[in-house]
Amino acid sequence: MPPQTIDWAHKDGRTACDGREGCEYGLSIEENLKLLADALHAQNKPILANGPFDMECARYTDAIMSEGVSGNFDTQKYLCLNKPLLIHSYPTDPLIAEKIMRGCLLSGAGWSLGGSSTLIDPSWSPEVEKIYRIYLPLVKSVFGAEMLLTPDPVRVNPAGMVKTEIFRSRDKKAYLLSVVFERDTLVPEVKLSVKLPGDCRKKYEVTVLGEKRFEFAGEVYTSLSAVARAITGTRWNGKVFFGVK
């Protein structure tokens, strides 16, 4: 049963699809998680949840891990105003490493670049280590600081060029401002180019700004496929179009 048919206003097991019965994995977690939390807290044991998907589940946890760099931490940081947040991913790419560090700067989160059951012994490239060493002193300065939820602490024209967040330091004696420029990156610039059949004199060039950020002709796109469509006017697999493996 697609989750969008769940009737979230009632807990009677019925859906919005002609009132038929249905089930959804998340609906079974909340009640059981409370029982688990009560049992563990009675033993002075904390709960670290890997990406709880809703506020009802998150409230029973003592800390949250946001795994991956899809941007979930942009939302989950608001579930962690009074509890720790850990941003975790694998050190396989300098773009991933930098996105983790930037997420920490904008959330006061802890950081983790390591392995898992599917990546037992991850190796660090010199590029990833460089990103980590440059960002870490900045990230440490806001780690555990109190996010003040101030809208637009810094206004920059044109809008959208930066992301900002303001914090109160852990000792309550200072205010800290994180400013992350969207287009500035420590990862070396990568450019892709292609020539269309019948128009070999013209080369179309796209700049890789980061994960899911590609600049072409002054516009920023979220995929190579979108760039390819902007060039040709038709649908393309972006990796095939630009010859990327």
Side-chain angles (χ1 to χ4, degrees):
M1 181 66 67
Q4 62 265 28
T5 66
I6 297 296
D7 181 3
W8 295 97
H10 305 89
K11 295 185 177 181
D12 57 5
R14 301 287 177 174
T15 71
C17 187
D18 296 328
R20 292 201 297 262
E21 294 184 355
C23 62
E24 201 270 336
Y25 174 70
L27 296 179
S28 66
I29 293 179
E30 183 183 343
E31 184 175 343
N32 292 321
L33 181 58
K34 183 181 185 305
L35 296 174
L36 177 63
D38 290 342
L40 291 177
H41 291 158
Q43 303 175 50
N44 293 319
K45 295 180 179 179
I47 296 179
L48 170 63
N50 184 353
F53 60 89
D54 59 27
M55 189 177 298
E56 287 74 14
C57 290
R59 63 179 173 171
Y60 297 121
T61 66
D62 301 292
I64 290 175
M65 180 175 77
S66 181
E67 184 175 359
V69 291
S70 62
N72 288 339
F73 47 76
D74 286 337
T75 299
Q76 290 169 342
K77 68 181 183 180
Y78 297 111
L79 301 177
C80 293
L81 297 178
N82 295 307
K83 64 182 69 175
L85 173 65
L86 172 70
I87 301 177
H88 169 79
S89 194
Y90 314 126
T92 55
D93 188 306
L95 285 174
I96 290 176
E98 187 165 30
K99 190 160 186 177
I100 290 175
M101 294 290 99
R102 288 176 172 233
C104 291
L105 282 175
L106 294 170
S107 63
W111 57 93
S112 172
L113 286 169
S116 71
S117 59
T118 58
L119 189 65
I120 303 298
D121 186 19
S123 59
W124 288 44
S125 69
E127 293 78 14
V128 168
E129 185 171 352
K130 177 183 177 182
I131 294 292
Y132 190 74
R133 294 189 181 279
I134 290 175
Y135 271 95
L136 193 54
L138 297 172
V139 170
K140 284 183 175 180
S141 68
V142 297
F143 171 61
E146 178 188 359
M147 191 165 58
L148 296 182
L149 301 178
T150 302
D152 299 326
V154 174
R155 294 186 179 182
V156 178
N157 288 319
M161 291 185 62
V162 301
K163 289 185 177 180
T164 59
E165 199 64 71
I166 191 168
F167 303 87
R168 184 183 287 115
S169 63
R170 292 186 296 275
D171 60 10
K172 310 296 184 183
K173 295 181 179 180
Y175 293 98
L176 308 170
L177 178 66
S178 287
V179 180
V180 174
F181 285 83
E182 288 286 85
R183 292 197 175 192
D184 289 347
T185 175
L186 298 178
V187 180
E189 186 174 81
V190 176
K191 290 184 180 291
L192 304 172
S193 62
V194 66
K195 291 182 178 180
L196 298 182
D199 189 16
C200 294
R201 292 174 299 176
K202 187 172 182 179
K203 181 170 67 174
Y204 297 89
E205 191 171 75
V206 57
T207 302
V208 181
L209 301 177
E211 188 179 10
K212 295 183 180 181
R213 297 183 67 243
F214 306 92
E215 183 179 32
F216 169 70
E219 299 288 335
V220 177
Y221 298 83
T222 59
S223 69
L224 287 175
S225 297
V227 177
R229 185 171 186 178
I231 293 173
T232 64
T234 58
R235 292 183 180 274
W236 274 87
N237 179 305
K239 290 184 177 181
V240 173
F241 184 78
F242 284 99
V244 177
K245 294 183 180 180

